[in-house]
Amino acid sequence: KLRHIIITPSMILVWLFGLALAFNIGAFAEPWFHAKFAVVLLLSAYHGWIVGYGRKLAKGERRYSGRTLRMMNEIPGIAVAIVVILVVVRPF
């Protein structure tokens, strides 16, 4: 339920508002934005993969251990930290 009610709609809104803001401020010409955009694309792909894996879990298929799943749970936090660093520091 959490995925259907909160996570996926929130991701769609973030994409819409983020692209609107990027167009508004002209960020597409900035190199740091391209790096940030790549990280966000990867994070969205990860979300899609997790949705698919969640469906497999609902069917009873479990390919990864609990420890592996807990480690994979850290990927979004690391990605968000990278995005924030790219936006604040603008290293390129």
Side-chain angles (χ1 to χ4, degrees), residues 52-85:
Y53 188 69
R55 289 183 183 138
K56 289 178 184 176
L57 280 176
K59 292 178 184 177
E61 300 175 33
R62 185 172 179 171
R63 297 182 354 197
Y64 300 106
S65 68
R67 183 176 189 272
T68 302
L69 291 173
R70 284 191 301 275
M71 289 175 57
M72 289 174 17
N73 191 42
E74 302 304 321
I75 291 173
I78 293 168
V80 169
I82 291 170
V83 166
V84 169
I85 289 169

Side-chain angles (χ1 to χ4, degrees), residues 22-44:
F23 281 119
N24 191 30
I25 66 172
F28 286 99
E30 302 291 332
W32 62 267
F33 179 77
H34 294 281
K36 173 194 168 210
F37 194 68
V39 172
V40 172
L41 278 174
L42 289 172
L43 189 58
S44 294

